Amino acid sequence: MRAKIGVLFLSVSISALVACGHSSSGGLPDAPYPAENGDQIISAQNGLDLNLAEQAGRLIVPEGAVSEDTPVSISILQHADLPDAGRVVSAAYEFSPKGLTLSKIATLSLVMPASVNPNDVLFLAKLIDGQWQSITSSSRTGDSVTASISSLGTYAILRREPRIADKTIGPECVAASAEQSLRFIHVADLHSRFGYREQLYGRIKAAHLQALKEEPYTVFTNGGDDFEKGTVAEQLSSGSATIAATKAMAFDVRVVGNHDYAWGPEQLLEYSQDDSAVVLASNTWYTGSSGEFAAVDFATVNVGCIKIGFFGMTSVPWNELDEPIETPPIPDFIADFSMNWSWQAVAQSIVDQYRGDVDYMVMLSHMGRGPDQDLAEKVSGVDLVLGGHTHGGESIETLDNGTVVIQPEFYGKGYTDLKLVFRLSDKVVTDIDYRTYATADVLSVDANTAASIDEIMGLYAPDAETEIAVSENYPDQREIARIAAESAMYVHGVDVALLDPSQVTGLWLPGSLSQEDFINSYQVERQPSNTPGFNALYMVSMSGAQLEQMVAEQPNWYAKLPTQLQADKTYKLALQKGPALNLPLFFPLTFNEETNISAALLSESWFALDQYARYRTSECLHLDTNTTLIACIPKTQTTVWQFNDPGDPFAADYGPAQLSFYDPELNGGSAAVTRFATTTELGIGDLPDGVSGVLAFADYRPEEGLMLRHNGAANGAFTEIGLVSDYSVVMDLYWPAGSDNEWRAILQTSLNNSDDADIFVDKAIAGGVGVATSESGYFGSLPAESWHRVALIFYVAPKGEGAGGTFKVFIDGELVGQKTDGDIGQRWALDEFALLFADNNFETAPGYLNALLFSNRALSDNEVSALSGPSRQMLFSPDVRTLNQRVLRHYESAPSGH
């Protein structure tokens, strides 16, 4: 087992040494230490409270730390015999029997002997296998260094030089000014959410660059956790994609977060080296020798006339149960990196050492809101805490001592904008302006950052967004757990699977599924660091009798079992990491603490889904049902109209559906206000590829409109009551300028037009497409005086059963939005007819229709993308061959590892 080690970065002032009566000559104490302190007894009843030789320290062992009275011998080792003797600044005490484990934590204090360089960092360390391993709980108390220990051995105080950085941002100081502004753009917990589609990184960077234009004294900060939970590119690159994306953002100052240890020492070393950013890790010490750890304990950042001091803290690690490890002894994250969990002592030491050298002290923290506030209340001299780790949305609080504590948004969804005004005569802050912004509201995208992200995705995950499989429904957590269980059995050949649905971290929508969808459903958090994710699949072997009892103990889990379990047969079972490594915790009636069943890693859960999905598609099956993919069936469901035949303008180019005027009063009203002509004749813009025949529709009255008879079979969730649940409507639309700021009905599913239409263009300039249901559902924009191809893809399902239905909106082949709250219910399912451009309450507007497609199935994202933007002819070709070729390519290029 790896030693649990750590380090405290302490700076000892000369005045403190003089006050304690030490000389300033450095090295070990001038007075010799006796060779031996004699035998002592650790009492089972009373423990041990021992002052060490020459009053050089104290050992306190609590009662009950040993089961029986235990003799202890204390010796002092010769300095010349110690490894790395140049860094040992105290006597080295050897407590024997070495390796004796205490059942309760003991406290060891060693006095700082002779003079120590005031810039040195001091910590208590234990000698293990010929190497000093620092103690995680080291802290300075008076003239001693104190730590909690759990076993006997050899201990001493060691030193190291502090790591310091200096950086300058913005123009030179204008000394004649009475005041100076200072601005922070702060983010945290980006978690590899590069935003390949949403361009999150590009938008955040654009906001930073805009802030720099407005205020050249702007500092761009990052509160840590750049890795995990995000794009598949990180997984396929073993972290390299995230390192590249983080450096592409060109932060000024960033701190190492707990998830940033995920990929081990080599990647962390690379992550710490940044040409743009100062990287902080004030409670971390690199003890290895395989590379350079460029993170520092403290940095001064000169911003005009203001000198800012920065230090940075990292929170505790998490275990395979997805729980923080907060009870001592707290382990290090990974080998070669020693941690110190005495955050207050670390902070106090840094503030004592450097507060007088700077105008403003900032802690860039990845500890979370509560620990940030606690530390800032107890450590005087911290002016601002720019935080991370909480995942609770934005917050700002000014404490009684004046410290401002901030938490930003997470997952790249927003950023904090903090503006300070300093009076230069005394460097006092006279004004604070705090604001938060949603990343989606940043209209511009930094081209350089976007290009970098595109390059990173192209290099590491070129097929991240490519369709691998198709979902027919909107599966809930339990259904996705079922599919994951089937994936484990297919990919890894296990006999049975028992999976916890609560470990599903994200649902997917009906339609096209990609690697990004799978990793969103099983986000990877490599806990403990540099080990497989906590929801990774493991294999354990056990009897049928044990399996039956396990299923009974976890009735809410999904069990994929044979019809009949044989009690004495051995089965290979797929479990996820936490249960696999902690069987007695999850199945206490089946196993006890003496159980010794080994668990073998299979793969990450998302990877098994990915492989199984490719297989299902190659078999022409939906991923979530045994329904044949419609794309594998000869195409009879899709109808296209071009409106180019003056003699029969409603004639379809192909397909079974029919289009006619809606005329319930039989008075020809719709025909009278509808015109078929060319774009030239109508005096409107041509299609991008030339003049085209179009249908000019009016602001139809409630008894007017177009009527679509789909002539298709019922499908999807409402098949049993004869309704079409999954379908597609694609149309080339042109709205004149006069339609702006008007509701524009597009689709009405009620033939008698007795209620609101079901899809609108909203009442706004360049309005979006959709409908407001439980939440706003308008997506994209349709600017007037231009042609756009709008695709509406429906997956209708009953509300209240599972996650409900959804629809997607595409404009010119690009997905611009989708309903994700599952409230697209029976209202949107089609009976025999549907109406176009009709509404019961005159919420219509005149416009032009170039081409129309109706399909009695939900087209895949790839099929809609292939339709692209508007054109004189809407070309939709059968895709069975294309689908098969795509599946074959995916299958052949499947990743070979996990």
Side-chain angles (χ1 to χ4, degrees):
M1 180 179 293
R2 192 180 78 245
K4 300 171 181 176
I5 57 178
V7 61
L8 173 66
F9 304 135
L10 292 172
S11 298
V12 184
S13 67
I14 293 177
S15 60
L17 292 175
V18 172
C20 293
H22 296 295
S23 71
S24 59
S25 59
L28 289 174
D30 297 328
Y33 283 91
E36 197 168 303
N37 204 86
D39 290 341
Q40 301 290 331
I41 300 294
I42 302 178
S43 167
Q45 181 175 357
N46 300 316
L48 174 66
D49 188 343
L50 173 67
N51 288 321
L52 302 178
E54 297 286 329
Q55 297 296 309
R58 188 177 184 186
L59 173 65
I60 302 176
V61 182
E63 61 182 44
V66 293
S67 58
E68 59 184 21
D69 291 355
T70 304
V72 176
S73 175
I74 303 100
S75 301
I76 300 177
L77 303 184
Q78 293 297 317
H79 180 244
D81 297 333
L82 299 174
D84 205 6
R87 294 196 301 119
V88 179
V89 297
S90 75
Y93 284 85
E94 182 178 271
F95 302 92
S96 298
K98 293 190 293 183
L100 173 67
T101 299
L102 305 173
S103 59
K104 291 187 178 180
I105 298 298
T107 301
L108 175 64
S109 297
L110 297 182
V111 174
M112 297 179 297
S115 173
V116 180
N117 186 318
N119 292 322
D120 278 350
V121 171
L122 301 183
F123 53 93
L124 208 61
K126 182 180 182 182
L127 189 61
I128 301 176
D129 296 331
Q131 292 187 330
W132 290 106
Q133 303 287 346
S134 54
I135 309 301
T136 60
S137 57
S138 296
S139 63
R140 179 185 171 190
T141 54
D143 63 351
S144 301
V145 178
T146 301
S148 298
I149 64 173
S150 58
S151 63
L152 301 187
T154 302
Y155 294 89
I157 299 175
L158 269 69
R159 66 174 177 84
R160 72 165 181 82
E161 295 181 358
R163 305 161 303 180
I164 308 297
D166 185 74
K167 181 183 179 74
T168 297
I169 296 173
E172 293 183 357
C173 170
V174 182
S177 299
E179 61 183 24
Q180 179 193 307
S181 296
L182 177 65
R183 191 170 180 179
F184 293 92
I185 301 296
H186 180 58
V187 296
D189 299 281
L190 296 177
H191 285 295
S192 72
R193 304 296 176 102
F194 306 166
Y196 189 54
R197 282 187 176 274
E198 307 94 330
Q199 299 285 357
L200 298 180
Y201 277 29
R203 294 181 192 278
I204 291 171
K205 187 61 183 178
H208 167 234
L209 294 176
Q210 180 60 37
L212 271 176
K213 290 180 181 179
E214 299 166 359
E215 174 53 76
Y217 297 127
T218 294
V219 185
F220 191 23
T221 55
N222 176 349
D225 270 11
D226 293 310
F227 290 84
E228 304 204 284
K229 304 185 187 182
T231 177
V232 73
E234 178 180 314
Q235 299 303 311
L236 297 177
S237 68
S238 298
S240 294
T242 299
I243 293 174
T246 301
K247 293 182 180 181
M249 291 291 281
F251 292 102
D252 291 317
V253 188
R254 56 184 175 88
V255 67
V256 180
N258 60 294
H259 282 280
D260 299 328
Y261 295 82
W263 293 96
E266 183 178 350
Q267 292 291 50
L268 182 57
L269 292 175
E270 174 62 28
Y271 173 73
S272 74
Q273 298 168 26
D274 193 322
D275 292 338
S276 299
V278 172
V279 182
L280 299 167
S282 301
N283 64 317
T284 307
W285 175 34
Y286 176 54
T287 60
S289 57
S290 60
E292 178 190 358
F293 185 51
V296 300
D297 307 331
F298 180 77
T300 55
V301 178
N302 305 287
V303 189
C305 301
I306 306 300
K307 179 175 285 190
I308 310 172
F310 275 98
F311 65 98
M313 297 294 199
T314 306
S315 61
V316 297
W318 292 51
N319 63 21
E320 72 276 5
L321 302 175
D322 195 29
E323 298 170 342
I325 304 173
E326 298 175 323
T327 302
I330 301 173
D332 300 320
F333 287 101
I334 53 178
D336 295 339
F337 288 85
S338 297
M339 305 301 300
N340 188 290
W341 308 119
S342 299
W343 298 284
Q344 182 179 338
V346 175
Q348 190 66 66
S349 173
I350 289 173
V351 171
D352 290 346
Q353 179 72 19
Y354 301 109
R355 187 63 183 88
D357 300 330
V358 299
D359 303 312
Y360 198 70
M361 183 67 79
V362 177
M363 180 172 72
L364 194 56
S365 170
H366 194 84
M367 295 194 302
R369 181 181 178 184
D372 286 347
Q373 292 175 344
D374 183 63
L375 185 146
E377 288 171 347
K378 294 176 179 176
V379 178
S380 177
V382 179
D383 298 298
L384 172 66
V385 178
L386 295 174
H389 187 60
T390 293
H391 289 214
E394 312 94 338
S395 67
I396 182 172
E397 183 174 358
T398 301
L399 306 181
D400 291 342
N401 62 8
T403 304
V404 177
V405 180
I406 287 174
Q407 278 285 324
E409 187 57 275
F410 58 100
Y411 287 168
K413 294 185 294 185
Y415 64 92
T416 293
D417 188 344
L418 179 68
K419 300 175 185 177
L420 308 175
V421 177
F422 286 83
R423 186 171 57 221
L424 293 184
S425 60
D426 55 8
K427 307 299 176 64
V428 169
V429 175
T430 60
D431 187 58
I432 296 178
D433 182 16
Y434 164 84
R435 300 185 184 187
T436 63
Y437 296 93
T439 305
D441 292 339
V442 179
L443 299 181
S444 59
V445 176
D446 176 55
N448 291 332
T449 305
S452 295
I453 298 301
D454 285 346
E455 182 178 354
I456 290 165
M457 294 298 295
L459 176 62
Y460 294 114
D463 285 339
E465 295 282 0
T466 306
E467 177 185 289
I468 291 175
V470 179
S471 176
E472 184 176 22
N473 297 321
Y474 196 151
D476 59 14
Q477 285 182 303
R478 188 171 183 82
E479 275 294 290
I480 292 178
R482 173 187 65 80
I483 298 166
E486 294 173 355
S487 301
M489 296 175 71
Y490 169 76
V491 176
H492 299 299
V494 295
D495 304 311
V496 291
L498 182 58
L499 303 180
D500 179 4
S502 70
Q503 291 202 30
V504 174
T505 51
L507 305 179
W508 62 60
L509 295 172
S512 299
L513 298 177
S514 67
Q515 288 180 323
E516 296 284 45
D517 292 302
F518 301 142
I519 205 163
N520 183 56
S521 289
Y522 284 106
Q523 294 169 4
V524 176
E525 299 180 61
R526 289 165 58 83
Q527 296 170 182
S529 297
N530 204 25
T531 70
F534 73 82
N535 57 32
L537 296 170
Y538 280 68
M539 191 271 288
V540 293
S541 295
M542 55 195 56
S543 70
Q546 289 172 316
L547 270 173
E548 187 173 12
Q549 180 62 42
M550 292 168 68
V551 172
E553 290 193 69
Q554 295 291 351
N556 295 324
W557 290 16
Y558 182 82
K560 186 73 174 178
L561 305 172
T563 305
Q564 186 80 31
L565 277 175
Q566 299 178 36
D568 56 352
K569 180 179 178 179
T570 298
Y571 293 88
K572 292 185 292 185
L573 168 66
L575 283 173
Q576 284 163 317
K577 183 178 181 179
L581 300 184
N582 299 273
L583 290 171
L585 179 64
F586 288 86
F587 311 101
L589 301 180
T590 308
F591 306 105
N592 57 44
E593 296 299 332
E594 305 301 319
T595 298
N596 185 19
I597 298 178
S598 62
L601 173 67
L602 298 175
S603 73
E604 297 289 354
S605 292
W606 78 265
F607 178 82
L609 276 176
D610 173 270
Q611 298 297 286
Y612 182 58
R614 297 170 193 270
Y615 159 71
R616 296 284 293 184
T617 304
S618 69
E619 294 293 307
C620 274
L621 295 172
H622 287 86
L623 178 57
D624 58 330
T625 70
N626 288 323
T627 305
T628 301
L629 292 172
I630 300 178
C632 294
I633 301 172
K635 196 174 304 298
T636 58
Q637 298 95 344
T638 301
T639 305
V640 174
W641 295 266
Q642 304 287 174
F643 311 112
N644 282 323
D645 184 352
D648 188 5
F650 280 138
D653 285 27
Y654 57 85
Q658 297 171 303
L659 196 64
S660 60
F661 288 116
Y662 177 59
D663 191 13
E665 297 183 354
L666 303 178
N667 61 7
S670 297
V673 293
T674 304
R675 184 180 176 189
F676 297 93
T678 67
T679 51
T680 300
E681 293 167 339
L682 293 168
I684 61 174
D686 293 335
L687 275 295
D689 54 349
V691 178
S692 182
V694 302
L695 182 159
F697 54 87
D699 49 347
Y700 290 135
R701 300 169 60 83
E703 66 274 10
E704 298 170 345
L706 305 181
M707 184 169 65
L708 171 68
R709 183 173 187 169
H710 58 74
N711 292 327
N715 65 22
F718 292 102
T719 301
E720 293 184 0
I721 59 174
L723 301 180
V724 172
S725 308
D726 303 340
Y727 61 95
S728 306
V729 179
V730 185
M731 49 181 72
D732 289 346
L733 289 171
Y734 181 104
W735 298 101
S739 67
D740 283 340
N741 294 315
E742 297 290 341
W743 291 107
R744 285 154 276 177
I746 293 180
L747 177 69
Q748 167 66 283
T749 63
S750 174
L751 180 60
N752 60 16
N753 199 20
S754 59
D755 55 12
D756 273 347
D758 301 290
I759 297 292
F760 287 93
V761 176
D762 71 350
K763 187 177 182 180
I765 296 176
V769 179
V771 64
T773 51
S774 65
E775 295 181 2
S776 176
Y778 291 94
F779 307 104
S781 64
L782 293 179
E785 308 289 344
S786 59
W787 285 101
H788 294 281
R789 181 160 287 170
V790 178
L792 304 168
I793 313 299
F794 288 88
Y795 305 87
V796 181
K799 291 188 284 184
E801 296 183 15
T806 186
F807 71 83
K808 299 181 180 181
V809 178
F810 295 78
I811 296 179
D812 299 333
E814 294 292 328
L815 178 65
V816 295
Q818 56 196 24
K819 289 290 290 184
T820 57
D821 45 340
D823 59 357
I824 303 304
Q826 186 174 342
R827 168 185 169 184
W828 286 269
L830 301 182
D831 200 341
E832 186 178 357
F833 297 94
L835 303 180
L836 303 179
F837 312 117
D839 178 70
N840 72 324
N841 196 30
F842 298 92
E843 291 178 327
T844 58
Y848 304 90
L849 177 65
N850 169 67
L852 173 67
L853 177 151
F854 177 84
S855 185
N856 198 50
R857 66 181 180 90
L859 301 184
S860 73
D861 292 7
N862 283 356
E863 288 174 317
V864 179
S865 179
L867 286 170
S868 189
S871 56
R872 293 173 61 195
Q873 281 197 308
M874 185 181 292
L875 300 176
F876 181 75
S877 58
D879 66 350
V880 175
R881 183 180 63 181
T882 303
L883 174 71
N884 291 339
Q885 290 174 342
R886 186 164 62 246
V887 170
L888 178 62
R889 179 169 66 85
H890 280 312
Y891 193 80
E892 291 176 343
S893 63
S896 58
H898 58 269

